[in-house]
Amino acid sequence: MIDLKLLQKDFESMSAKLMRKGVDASLLENLKTKNEELKIAKKNFEALQALQNSMSKEFGIYKREGKDIAELKAKVDANKIEITKVLDIQRQKQEELESMAMTIPNVPDDSVPNGKDEEDNIELKRVLTPKEFSFTPKEHWELAEQNGWIDFERGVKLATSRFSVSFGMGAKLERALINFMLNFNSDRGFNEVSVPALVNRTALEGTGQLPKFEDDLYKMEGQELFLIPTAEVPVTNLYQNEILAANELPKKMTAYTSCFRKEAGAAGRDTRGMIRQHQFHKVELVALSKPEDSETIFDEMVSCASDILTALELPHRIVNLCTGDLGFSAAYTTDIEVWLPGQNQYREISSISNTREFQARRAKIRYKDGKKNSFVNTLNGSSLAVGRTLVAIMENYQNEDGSIDIPEVLEPYLSM
């Protein structure tokens, strides 16, 4: 959640920053109005409470002096009723303000470039040079079918479109990639954790998927439980509503999970193959840190994900997202895009974000900062999307006859 006190203190500046991210000015004005209404309700309550305290003291004096208290008692009782009414109004205004604030995205850092969409993202660097093929490289779905690695039709038969089944070497490579990535991340200081694939509404509110993106989530009928869209949700919320000791930070974690998304906003996009599926595997990096350490840890996370691709000898590039492509919870984001020769373009394979205090404020994750409690910074990033990594291996390691070589670094994991 955005800092409402900061919004109240410097409304014009905060509004300008949020509008860079596409927030409508009228919504911000409504938020300001709700905040003013809450302030008035609090003042009314405080005034009535002060009157109650004053009359209570006067009540004691009347009793000691033997005065008639009937009239004063009637005033006290009437004021109590008014206090109850005003307190109900205050609670209502508080709920209205918080409900509206939960739909407002994070404020982008000043360093985030302005832009409308992914076309305005800024490329920072390229790592490794794409291989030149002596033949026209095939796309991954052709290679998957030719080698019997992935069956898309049987995925549809078992579920619906955008599901697939992996067989033989395809399934083995997925498992090898998961183990390789987890070990790689652990060697970089990220503690491995295993978390549930179902979470409650509070957890999804904490990381920002709810209430705004409920249409993209799979919900259990009759229960307030949802299949996770990413391991970011359960791993970040491990410390929901906790106050950590300063010496416990940073907490750096990695987790493998299956992820589930309806892809409600991606109709018609990437309908073939494994680029955009309803269920996919991903290894995630999550960190909780002191604010002054979060940028260093962010750089560590970007390097970790990039170095995995380098170890797999997969060409990729690193880009900074513009305001129009920035996610709801992110203050700033760096994407890593892997080269796919079959598609003749770079495609996103990792997205690494620093949310600053935004998620911690929603999930109430704090640490003891001297004598006060402060919000941690939370960071998350793919390291990596397993299916997309498999796609990149198929397209970059293909031979003219359609066979696919195996990255040397994965060979030990295939014999385990």
Side-chain angles (χ1 to χ4, degrees):
M1 189 186 299
I2 59 172
D3 188 339
L4 293 173
K5 290 182 180 178
L6 186 58
L7 182 69
Q8 179 183 338
K9 182 179 179 181
D10 193 359
F11 181 80
E12 296 304 323
S13 176
M14 284 277 284
S15 294
K17 291 179 179 181
L18 286 165
M19 282 190 284
R20 289 179 66 217
K21 208 171 181 180
V23 180
D24 191 271
S26 62
L27 179 59
L28 293 168
E29 286 294 339
N30 288 341
L31 190 67
K32 183 179 181 182
T33 299
K34 291 295 182 186
N35 192 54
E36 292 300 321
E37 289 174 354
L38 177 60
K39 285 170 63 178
I40 292 170
K42 285 182 175 179
K43 284 182 179 178
N44 290 340
F45 170 74
E46 289 167 0
L48 289 171
Q49 190 65 53
L51 178 59
Q52 190 74 10
N53 293 337
S54 174
M55 288 192 294
S56 295
K57 290 179 182 178
E58 196 173 354
F59 195 84
I61 294 171
Y62 273 36
K63 290 187 73 173
R64 285 196 302 272
E65 294 179 353
K67 293 182 178 180
D68 184 4
I69 61 171
E71 184 178 349
L72 181 58
K73 185 177 184 302
K75 290 181 179 179
V76 170
D77 292 342
N79 197 60
K80 283 181 180 178
I81 294 172
E82 288 302 311
I83 286 176
T84 300
K85 290 179 181 177
V86 170
L87 192 56
D88 285 342
I89 292 172
Q90 181 181 317
R91 291 192 185 111
Q92 178 190 337
K93 296 301 179 183
Q94 183 75 43
E95 288 173 3
E96 289 175 358
L97 177 64
E98 290 182 0
S99 178
M100 184 176 289
M102 290 287 275
T103 68
I104 305 293
N106 197 2
V107 177
D109 274 13
D110 292 338
S111 62
V112 177
N114 288 326
K116 292 183 179 180
D117 53 35
E118 61 187 20
E119 297 300 321
D120 295 320
N121 293 339
I122 306 297
E123 181 179 307
L124 300 179
K125 67 175 180 177
R126 298 191 179 195
V127 182
L128 303 179
T129 302
K131 174 184 175 181
E132 291 188 10
F133 290 86
S134 59
F135 56 92
T136 301
K138 297 178 179 178
E139 297 202 49
H140 74 277
W141 57 77
E142 300 175 83
L143 295 163
E145 291 171 354
Q146 179 178 337
N147 288 276
W149 286 14
I150 303 165
D151 193 319
F152 300 102
E153 290 183 4
R154 282 187 168 83
V156 174
K157 181 166 69 173
L158 293 176
T160 184
S161 60
R162 296 187 192 260
F163 286 88
S164 61
V165 178
S166 298
F167 285 96
M169 184 55 73
K172 289 180 180 180
L173 274 172
E174 284 188 339
R175 176 163 53 87
L177 282 167
I178 291 164
N179 287 332
F180 170 65
M181 292 173 186
L182 288 172
N183 286 348
F184 196 101
N185 295 342
S186 294
D187 290 343
R188 292 293 179 93
F190 290 85
N191 184 39
E192 185 175 344
V193 296
S194 180
V195 291
L198 285 165
V199 293
N200 57 35
R201 181 174 291 274
T202 302
L204 287 156
E205 288 174 343
T207 43
Q209 284 78 15
L210 289 179
K212 193 172 179 64
F213 303 106
E214 187 158 354
D215 287 346
D216 207 31
L217 300 172
Y218 286 100
K219 186 177 186 295
M220 301 295 289
E221 187 175 353
Q223 299 184 66
E224 284 296 288
L225 289 174
F226 300 79
L227 287 167
I228 61 171
T230 167
E232 165 200 344
V233 180
V235 177
T236 303
N237 279 282
L238 285 171
Y239 298 95
Q240 173 197 119
N241 204 26
E242 291 189 27
I243 300 172
L244 304 169
N247 61 10
E248 292 182 76
L249 299 175
K251 284 190 176 293
K252 297 161 60 178
M253 297 162 283
T254 186
Y256 152 70
T257 62
S258 287
C259 306
F260 305 86
R261 298 178 189 174
K262 289 183 180 177
E263 296 289 355
R269 295 177 59 191
D270 300 307
T271 54
R272 296 192 69 181
M274 294 182 69
I275 294 295
R276 200 176 296 276
Q277 298 231 295
H278 291 311
Q279 177 183 349
F280 56 97
H281 305 309
K282 187 152 69 82
V283 175
E284 190 81 359
L285 297 174
V286 172
L288 312 179
S289 79
K290 297 176 184 176
E292 62 267 26
D293 298 331
S294 68
E295 292 184 20
T296 298
I297 293 172
F298 178 85
D299 291 339
E300 289 178 14
M301 293 168 71
V302 173
S303 294
C304 186
S306 174
D307 290 349
I308 288 176
L309 290 171
T310 301
L312 292 167
E313 299 183 62
L314 294 173
H316 56 282
R317 68 174 187 168
I318 299 173
V319 300
N320 272 355
L321 299 197
C322 68
T323 51
D325 202 26
L326 203 60
F328 181 83
S329 296
Y332 63 92
T333 297
T334 291
D335 271 9
I336 301 176
E337 299 177 349
V338 69
W339 175 250
L340 299 182
Q343 296 189 25
N344 194 37
Q345 64 177 317
Y346 288 95
R347 297 298 303 266
E348 178 199 333
I349 196 168
S350 174
S351 193
I352 299 154
S353 299
N354 188 344
T355 79
R356 301 294 190 188
E357 297 179 358
F358 184 80
Q359 290 181 332
R361 193 178 297 279
R362 295 166 75 104
K364 298 180 177 62
I365 308 172
R366 294 156 291 175
Y367 74 103
K368 185 66 71 174
D369 183 15
K371 293 184 178 180
K372 64 176 182 176
N373 297 328
S374 297
F375 290 107
V376 302
N377 277 194
T378 66
L379 305 95
N380 63 80
S382 311
S383 182
L384 298 160
V386 176
R388 293 193 180 195
T389 308
L390 181 58
V391 165
I393 289 172
M394 285 191 281
E395 293 199 11
N396 282 278
Y397 280 83
Q398 65 178 292
N399 299 305
E400 189 169 5
D401 63 0
S403 62
I404 303 168
D405 295 330
I406 304 300
E408 185 178 345
V409 73
L410 293 181
E411 289 179 357
Y413 290 89
L414 292 171
S415 60
M416 291 172 64

